[in-house]
Amino acid sequence: MNDVQIESTYQLNEQSIIERNGEHYLLIDNRELSLSKKYYDKLELEKYNEYKIKYVYNRLKNNDGEVVALKRYGEQPWGQ
């Protein structure tokens, strides 16, 4: 009920990703979004820096969020 879903295209770099306690997080829109291993493994920042990302967050929690879909910009189909 308080979840918000955002979908946009972002330019990422090495500073966009942090690792803490074996977990990966993506820093976008002033949020620290949890990034599953599946999506982390899809990132190829040395070749591509533009990605279409969909994430959800709870607007009642300050820094809460999770990436729910990620693809390289121009890649088809969405979410695979």
Side-chain angles (χ1 to χ4, degrees), residues 17-72:
I17 301 169
I18 60 171
E19 182 179 353
R20 186 180 326 117
N21 299 327
E23 301 287 327
H24 292 96
Y25 298 89
L26 187 59
L27 303 174
I28 54 175
D29 292 342
N30 294 319
R31 298 194 179 281
E32 193 173 285
L33 307 170
S34 63
L35 185 64
S36 70
K37 179 164 176 32
K38 171 185 167 184
Y39 294 132
Y40 176 76
D41 290 343
K42 288 187 74 167
L43 294 173
E44 299 178 70
L45 297 180
E46 64 280 350
K47 291 200 275 187
Y48 309 106
N49 70 345
E50 201 165 8
Y51 290 85
K52 191 164 187 174
I53 298 170
K54 186 185 303 183
Y55 70 89
V56 294
Y57 70 94
N58 185 319
R59 62 182 164 182
L60 298 179
K61 297 181 181 176
N62 188 27
N63 212 15
D64 178 88
E66 175 184 9
V67 174
V68 294
L70 179 145
K71 74 171 186 171
R72 181 176 43 84

